[in-house]
mmCIF file of all heavy atoms in Angstrom:
data_model
loop_
_atom_site.group_PDB
_atom_site.id
_atom_site.type_symbol
_atom_site.label_atom_id
_atom_site.label_comp_id
_atom_site.label_asym_id
_atom_site.label_seq_id
_atom_site.Cartn_x
_atom_site.Cartn_y
_atom_site.Cartn_z
ATOM 1 N N TYR F 447 -11.761 7.000 -3.151
ATOM 2 C CA TYR F 447 -10.279 7.153 -2.717
ATOM 3 C C TYR F 447 -9.528 6.327 -3.861
ATOM 4 O O TYR F 447 -9.715 5.062 -3.858
ATOM 5 C CB TYR F 447 -10.053 6.494 -1.467
ATOM 6 C CG TYR F 447 -8.733 6.822 -0.739
ATOM 7 C CD1 TYR F 447 -7.980 7.911 -1.092
ATOM 8 C CD2 TYR F 447 -8.249 5.888 0.268
ATOM 9 C CE1 TYR F 447 -6.641 8.089 -0.390
ATOM 10 C CE2 TYR F 447 -6.987 6.127 0.820
ATOM 11 C CZ TYR F 447 -6.231 7.114 0.485
ATOM 12 O OH TYR F 447 -5.025 7.313 1.029
ATOM 13 N N THR F 448 -8.775 7.067 -4.643
ATOM 14 C CA THR F 448 -8.064 6.236 -5.754
ATOM 15 C C THR F 448 -6.785 6.866 -6.056
ATOM 16 O O THR F 448 -6.184 7.726 -5.192
ATOM 17 C CB THR F 448 -9.012 6.350 -6.889
ATOM 18 O OG1 THR F 448 -8.458 5.495 -7.984
ATOM 19 C CG2 THR F 448 -9.073 7.755 -7.543
ATOM 20 N N ALA F 449 -6.084 6.449 -7.110
ATOM 21 C CA ALA F 449 -4.740 6.854 -7.237
ATOM 22 C C ALA F 449 -4.585 7.675 -8.617
ATOM 23 O O ALA F 449 -5.391 7.583 -9.514
ATOM 24 C CB ALA F 449 -3.849 5.592 -7.539
ATOM 25 N N PRO F 450 -3.573 8.706 -8.605
ATOM 26 C CA PRO F 450 -3.435 9.540 -9.674
ATOM 27 C C PRO F 450 -3.272 8.798 -10.988
ATOM 28 O O PRO F 450 -3.806 9.171 -11.942
ATOM 29 C CB PRO F 450 -2.146 10.345 -9.385
ATOM 30 C CG PRO F 450 -2.013 10.357 -7.884
ATOM 31 C CD PRO F 450 -2.694 9.027 -7.476
ATOM 32 N N THR F 451 -2.692 7.565 -10.987
ATOM 33 C CA THR F 451 -2.465 6.861 -12.327
ATOM 34 C C THR F 451 -3.812 6.413 -12.871
ATOM 35 O O THR F 451 -3.988 6.468 -14.021
ATOM 36 C CB THR F 451 -1.454 5.647 -12.036
ATOM 37 O OG1 THR F 451 -1.177 5.130 -13.300
ATOM 38 C CG2 THR F 451 -2.000 4.651 -11.156
ATOM 39 N N ALA F 452 -4.791 6.012 -11.986
ATOM 40 C CA ALA F 452 -6.041 5.733 -12.465
ATOM 41 C C ALA F 452 -6.841 6.888 -12.955
ATOM 42 O O ALA F 452 -7.406 6.726 -14.063
ATOM 43 C CB ALA F 452 -6.939 5.043 -11.229
ATOM 44 N N ILE F 453 -6.639 8.080 -12.282
ATOM 45 C CA ILE F 453 -7.285 9.239 -12.846
ATOM 46 C C ILE F 453 -6.663 9.544 -14.156
ATOM 47 O O ILE F 453 -7.469 9.870 -15.128
ATOM 48 C CB ILE F 453 -7.070 10.410 -11.835
ATOM 49 C CG1 ILE F 453 -7.707 10.170 -10.447
ATOM 50 C CG2 ILE F 453 -7.688 11.794 -12.373
ATOM 51 C CD1 ILE F 453 -7.372 11.046 -9.304
ATOM 52 N N ARG F 454 -5.418 9.574 -14.306
ATOM 53 C CA ARG F 454 -4.815 9.963 -15.565
ATOM 54 C C ARG F 454 -5.196 9.005 -16.691
ATOM 55 O O ARG F 454 -5.446 9.478 -17.886
ATOM 56 C CB ARG F 454 -3.274 10.013 -15.446
ATOM 57 C CG ARG F 454 -2.686 11.123 -14.765
ATOM 58 C CD ARG F 454 -1.265 11.326 -14.865
ATOM 59 N NE ARG F 454 -0.603 10.205 -14.333
ATOM 60 C CZ ARG F 454 -0.089 10.063 -13.105
ATOM 61 N NH1 ARG F 454 -0.060 11.019 -12.463
ATOM 62 N NH2 ARG F 454 0.481 8.835 -12.797
ATOM 63 N N SER F 455 -5.223 7.689 -16.445
ATOM 64 C CA SER F 455 -5.671 6.807 -17.431
ATOM 65 C C SER F 455 -7.099 7.036 -17.813
ATOM 66 O O SER F 455 -7.527 7.044 -19.030
ATOM 67 C CB SER F 455 -5.488 5.322 -16.864
ATOM 68 O OG SER F 455 -6.442 4.570 -17.289
ATOM 69 N N LEU F 456 -8.073 7.318 -16.863
ATOM 70 C CA LEU F 456 -9.456 7.515 -17.192
ATOM 71 C C LEU F 456 -9.582 8.857 -17.932
ATOM 72 O O LEU F 456 -10.489 8.994 -18.864
ATOM 73 C CB LEU F 456 -10.299 7.486 -15.983
ATOM 74 C CG LEU F 456 -10.282 6.153 -15.271
ATOM 75 C CD1 LEU F 456 -11.228 6.154 -13.891
ATOM 76 C CD2 LEU F 456 -10.850 5.051 -16.276
ATOM 77 N N MET F 457 -8.729 9.779 -17.625
ATOM 78 C CA MET F 457 -8.875 11.187 -18.375
ATOM 79 C C MET F 457 -8.600 11.049 -19.776
ATOM 80 O O MET F 457 -9.205 11.682 -20.589
ATOM 81 C CB MET F 457 -7.661 12.017 -17.847
ATOM 82 C CG MET F 457 -7.983 13.003 -16.720
ATOM 83 S SD MET F 457 -6.390 13.666 -15.995
ATOM 84 C CE MET F 457 -5.923 14.841 -17.272
ATOM 85 N N SER F 458 -7.667 10.031 -20.149
ATOM 86 C CA SER F 458 -7.198 9.927 -21.457
ATOM 87 C C SER F 458 -8.485 9.377 -22.319
ATOM 88 O O SER F 458 -8.353 9.484 -23.671
ATOM 89 C CB SER F 458 -6.019 9.051 -21.630
ATOM 90 O OG SER F 458 -6.516 7.679 -21.319
ATOM 91 N N PHE F 459 -9.380 8.969 -21.744
ATOM 92 C CA PHE F 459 -10.636 8.453 -22.564
ATOM 93 C C PHE F 459 -11.613 9.606 -22.894
ATOM 94 O O PHE F 459 -12.625 9.434 -23.335
ATOM 95 C CB PHE F 459 -11.410 7.331 -21.883
ATOM 96 C CG PHE F 459 -10.545 6.074 -21.833
ATOM 97 C CD1 PHE F 459 -9.637 5.809 -20.777
ATOM 98 C CD2 PHE F 459 -10.761 5.217 -22.876
ATOM 99 C CE1 PHE F 459 -8.940 4.678 -20.749
ATOM 100 C CE2 PHE F 459 -9.945 3.926 -22.862
ATOM 101 C CZ PHE F 459 -9.101 3.776 -21.713
ATOM 102 N N GLY F 460 -11.347 10.796 -22.272
ATOM 103 C CA GLY F 460 -12.281 11.941 -22.559
ATOM 104 C C GLY F 460 -13.506 11.850 -21.480
ATOM 105 O O GLY F 460 -13.494 11.109 -20.678
ATOM 106 N N LEU F 461 -14.473 12.775 -21.900
ATOM 107 C CA LEU F 461 -15.557 12.814 -20.853
ATOM 108 C C LEU F 461 -16.736 11.818 -21.291
ATOM 109 O O LEU F 461 -17.601 11.743 -20.510
ATOM 110 C CB LEU F 461 -16.015 14.274 -20.905
ATOM 111 C CG LEU F 461 -15.082 15.226 -20.134
ATOM 112 C CD1 LEU F 461 -15.666 16.617 -20.186
ATOM 113 C CD2 LEU F 461 -14.838 14.714 -18.628
ATOM 114 N N GLY F 462 -16.548 11.191 -22.400
ATOM 115 C CA GLY F 462 -17.585 10.324 -22.832
ATOM 116 C C GLY F 462 -18.175 9.331 -21.683
ATOM 117 O O GLY F 462 -19.299 9.189 -21.395
ATOM 118 N N PRO F 463 -17.165 8.679 -21.156
ATOM 119 C CA PRO F 463 -17.515 7.641 -20.059
ATOM 120 C C PRO F 463 -18.004 8.243 -18.778
ATOM 121 O O PRO F 463 -18.656 7.496 -18.048
ATOM 122 C CB PRO F 463 -16.222 6.821 -19.902
ATOM 123 C CG PRO F 463 -15.328 7.116 -21.019
ATOM 124 C CD PRO F 463 -15.739 8.549 -21.450
ATOM 125 N N VAL F 464 -17.754 9.593 -18.571
ATOM 126 C CA VAL F 464 -18.350 10.224 -17.461
ATOM 127 C C VAL F 464 -19.602 10.850 -17.525
ATOM 128 O O VAL F 464 -20.498 10.752 -16.672
ATOM 129 C CB VAL F 464 -17.297 11.383 -17.001
ATOM 130 C CG1 VAL F 464 -17.726 11.867 -15.568
ATOM 131 C CG2 VAL F 464 -15.940 10.866 -16.975
ATOM 132 N N ASN F 465 -19.940 11.329 -18.674
ATOM 133 C CA ASN F 465 -21.140 12.052 -18.986
ATOM 134 C C ASN F 465 -22.288 11.051 -18.781
ATOM 135 O O ASN F 465 -22.234 9.883 -19.039
ATOM 136 C CB ASN F 465 -21.396 12.559 -20.492
ATOM 137 C CG ASN F 465 -20.252 13.684 -20.586
ATOM 138 O OD1 ASN F 465 -19.846 14.321 -19.664
ATOM 139 N ND2 ASN F 465 -19.838 13.888 -21.888
ATOM 140 N N HIS F 466 -23.403 11.601 -18.371
ATOM 141 C CA HIS F 466 -24.632 10.771 -18.072
ATOM 142 C C HIS F 466 -24.506 9.697 -17.024
ATOM 143 O O HIS F 466 -25.404 8.912 -16.865
ATOM 144 C CB HIS F 466 -25.184 10.124 -19.405
ATOM 145 C CG HIS F 466 -25.105 11.064 -20.502
ATOM 146 N ND1 HIS F 466 -25.881 12.128 -20.523
ATOM 147 C CD2 HIS F 466 -24.370 11.083 -21.626
ATOM 148 C CE1 HIS F 466 -25.821 12.862 -21.618
ATOM 149 N NE2 HIS F 466 -24.729 12.226 -22.317
ATOM 150 N N LYS F 467 -23.371 9.793 -16.270
ATOM 151 C CA LYS F 467 -23.303 8.940 -15.055
ATOM 152 C C LYS F 467 -23.793 9.842 -13.870
ATOM 153 O O LYS F 467 -23.367 10.988 -13.720
ATOM 154 C CB LYS F 467 -21.887 8.363 -14.806
ATOM 155 C CG LYS F 467 -21.395 7.694 -15.986
ATOM 156 C CD LYS F 467 -22.007 6.250 -15.940
ATOM 157 C CE LYS F 467 -21.804 5.615 -17.399
ATOM 158 N NZ LYS F 467 -20.470 5.148 -17.748
#
Side-chain angles (χ1 to χ4, degrees):
Y447 189 29
T448 191
T451 188
I453 300 171
R454 286 191 300 265
S455 144
L456 295 176
M457 264 170 77
S458 71
F459 291 87
L461 288 175
V464 185
N465 289 337
H466 312 297
K467 302 284 159 72

